[in-house]
Amino acid sequence: MVSAIILAGGYATRLRPLSLTKPKALFPVLDKPILDYILEGLENAEIHNVYLSLRVMADKILSHVDGKNVTPIIEKEPLGDAGALKFVSTQAKLDDVVIVIYGDIYSEVNFLDLLKFHAQSECPVTLLATKVNNPRRYGVLLTEDNKLIEIIEKPSNPISNLINGGVYVFNKNILNFIQGPSISRNFLPKILEKYCVSVYKYDGIWADIGTPYDYMKLNFELLGKRFPRGYISNTAKVSERATLTPPYFISDGVIIGEDSYIDSNSIIGKGSVIKNGVYIGESLLMENVLVSENSFIKGSIIADKCKIGKWNHIREETIFGEEVITHDGILINKKNIILPNKEVTESIYEEDKIIL
């Protein structure tokens, strides 16, 4: 039997302002929280003994998983990923093999294949590895014959683009050796002193949604792959006089008015209303967003329950936190970040500002 632990208790500081009101595990990817993709993958692998390690905004995740076959375990203080793993191991009835997954990692890994690889290995630990274009942000792996030699954290001159993919398989008894706050910096080096760590190389879609750019990029990558001709929910209402250029994703309950233009790489979340004459391109609108008449949004992320006034012009790399309201005739220049619950009454002409 196999247990699973999903680590989903962190602050997600690099995803602010989006993560000030929503835990990272609940960020929607093509309208489905990233946590649900993980749970579906475990269900497909018939792994039913699942534990959620929670802390920050635990109540929101608890509400989301209510009725699901998972067991939440809530930290009282920050413990780091290794500390959280140790805490769960002392609170839960784990099976002999434990798969550990970061709750902010999207992948399409086949957990059964990963577990089979682990079972055939001679090592008590298996680490999932993947290749990325910019390995400097991650733990780069030095390997030999599918065995881990060393993890080099965030190197300035990476030896390769093979990184730690944020999924582990542990034999249960090895969890007794957990030391320090970090799995990669403290625990794995301790294991390597006495044991080996196998490396499972995964070459499918993988993303750490660590920054708003990463989050948007993942959504667009999956959109192009899954819906190259675009997707419109059967509960959405799109005017016949609207123009849509694929790929696009129009979610449940969305309303799009006349003479609006939904350009390529646009994702419109549940319950959002796009009024007449609006342009949206290369942007991600989360749930229940209102965009009023004749507004323009390009290359931006707009969080839940924002209300955009008439004749707004929102330029590239702008991020709105939750429940931001803008008045009519507002310009928001490039790379501006607006924190949640802000009412914008005047245009922001400068670039790269944080609006408190």
Side-chain angles (χ1 to χ4, degrees):
M1 298 291 290
V2 177
S3 297
I5 299 172
I6 302 172
L7 301 175
Y11 275 115
T13 54
R14 292 183 300 153
L15 263 172
R16 291 175 179 173
L18 303 174
S19 58
L20 290 171
T21 51
K22 186 189 293 290
K24 191 154 55 167
L26 296 187
F27 274 49
V29 176
L30 291 189
D31 213 24
K32 182 191 298 183
I34 196 167
L35 176 60
D36 288 2
Y37 288 99
I38 297 171
L39 293 174
E40 286 181 5
L42 293 171
E43 181 70 23
N44 291 338
E46 299 186 352
I47 299 171
H48 304 300
N49 191 22
V50 179
Y51 297 89
L52 277 177
S53 174
L54 306 176
R55 189 175 62 84
V56 177
M57 288 183 273
D59 57 329
K60 294 189 176 185
I61 297 180
L62 289 174
S63 178
H64 179 75
V65 301
D66 186 37
K68 298 181 186 288
N69 186 28
V70 298
T71 302
I73 295 178
I74 301 175
E75 305 169 28
K76 294 181 180 179
E77 58 184 359
L79 300 174
D81 57 356
L85 177 56
K86 183 175 183 178
F87 182 64
V88 173
S89 71
T90 64
Q91 302 294 308
K93 295 182 179 179
L94 298 175
D95 294 298
D96 290 338
V97 176
V98 181
I99 185 167
V100 177
I101 307 160
Y102 291 122
D104 56 358
I105 297 292
Y106 177 90
S107 78
E108 297 176 354
V109 62
N110 185 314
F111 291 126
L112 287 178
D113 286 348
L114 174 60
L115 291 167
K116 182 179 178 181
F117 177 89
H118 177 74
Q120 293 173 346
S121 128
E122 61 197 48
C123 303
V125 179
T126 295
L127 178 157
L128 181 141
T130 191
K131 292 183 177 180
V132 296
N133 292 328
N134 181 16
R136 292 177 179 84
R137 293 170 44 193
Y138 304 100
V140 174
L141 306 182
L142 176 60
T143 64
E144 185 177 312
D145 298 327
N146 291 328
K147 299 290 191 298
L148 179 66
I149 304 300
E150 184 181 2
I151 299 180
I152 306 163
E153 289 292 341
K154 300 180 181 179
S156 56
N157 295 297
I159 58 173
S160 76
N161 62 347
L162 188 70
I163 66 156
N164 180 355
V167 181
Y168 306 96
V169 183
F170 296 100
N171 290 348
K172 178 184 174 181
N173 59 358
I174 211 74
L175 299 180
N176 295 326
F177 297 98
I178 295 176
Q179 292 185 8
S182 171
I183 292 175
S184 61
R185 290 185 175 91
N186 306 121
F187 184 29
L188 291 184
K190 195 69 178 177
I191 291 173
L192 287 172
E193 292 177 4
K194 295 183 178 180
Y195 304 97
C196 61
V197 174
S198 293
V199 176
Y200 175 89
K201 294 178 180 177
Y202 164 74
D203 62 1
I205 293 178
W206 181 94
D208 163 20
I209 59 164
T211 69
Y213 172 78
D214 296 327
Y215 174 55
M216 183 182 283
K217 181 181 176 184
L218 170 62
N219 272 274
F220 292 165
E221 181 178 6
L222 290 180
L223 175 60
K225 179 182 178 183
R226 296 184 180 179
F227 303 106
R229 297 183 179 180
Y231 168 84
I232 302 176
S233 166
N234 57 15
T235 63
K237 296 179 180 179
V238 179
S239 168
E240 293 182 356
R241 291 181 54 183
T243 300
L244 282 69
T245 301
Y248 50 78
F249 189 97
I250 312 298
S251 189
D252 297 341
V254 169
I255 298 173
I256 297 179
E258 296 179 358
D259 301 317
S260 283
Y261 192 128
I262 308 302
D263 211 343
S264 59
N265 286 334
S266 293
I267 297 171
I268 315 295
K270 292 178 182 176
S272 295
V273 176
I274 311 301
K275 295 287 191 176
N276 297 346
V278 169
Y279 173 91
I280 297 174
E282 296 181 353
S283 294
L284 195 163
L285 278 58
M286 298 173 85
E287 297 185 7
N288 299 305
V289 174
L290 170 65
V291 184
S292 298
E293 289 85 348
N294 303 308
S295 285
F296 175 100
I297 302 174
K298 177 78 169 179
S300 298
I301 301 177
I302 310 296
D304 296 346
K305 295 178 279 188
C306 287
K307 295 182 179 180
I308 311 301
K310 299 177 183 178
W311 295 103
N312 274 219
H313 190 107
I314 300 171
R315 303 196 63 190
E316 294 87 346
E317 299 182 57
T318 290
I319 304 169
F320 279 22
E322 194 167 305
E323 292 195 67
V324 169
I325 298 173
T326 66
H327 286 207
D328 295 345
I330 293 292
L331 166 69
I332 309 290
N333 211 341
K334 295 179 180 179
K335 299 182 180 180
N336 280 297
I337 293 174
I338 302 178
L339 269 60
N341 307 304
K342 174 72 177 178
E343 185 174 3
V344 181
T345 60
E346 296 180 353
S347 293
I348 302 169
Y349 297 106
E350 295 180 81
E351 296 184 10
D352 205 11
K353 303 285 289 184
I354 297 176
I355 310 303
L356 302 176

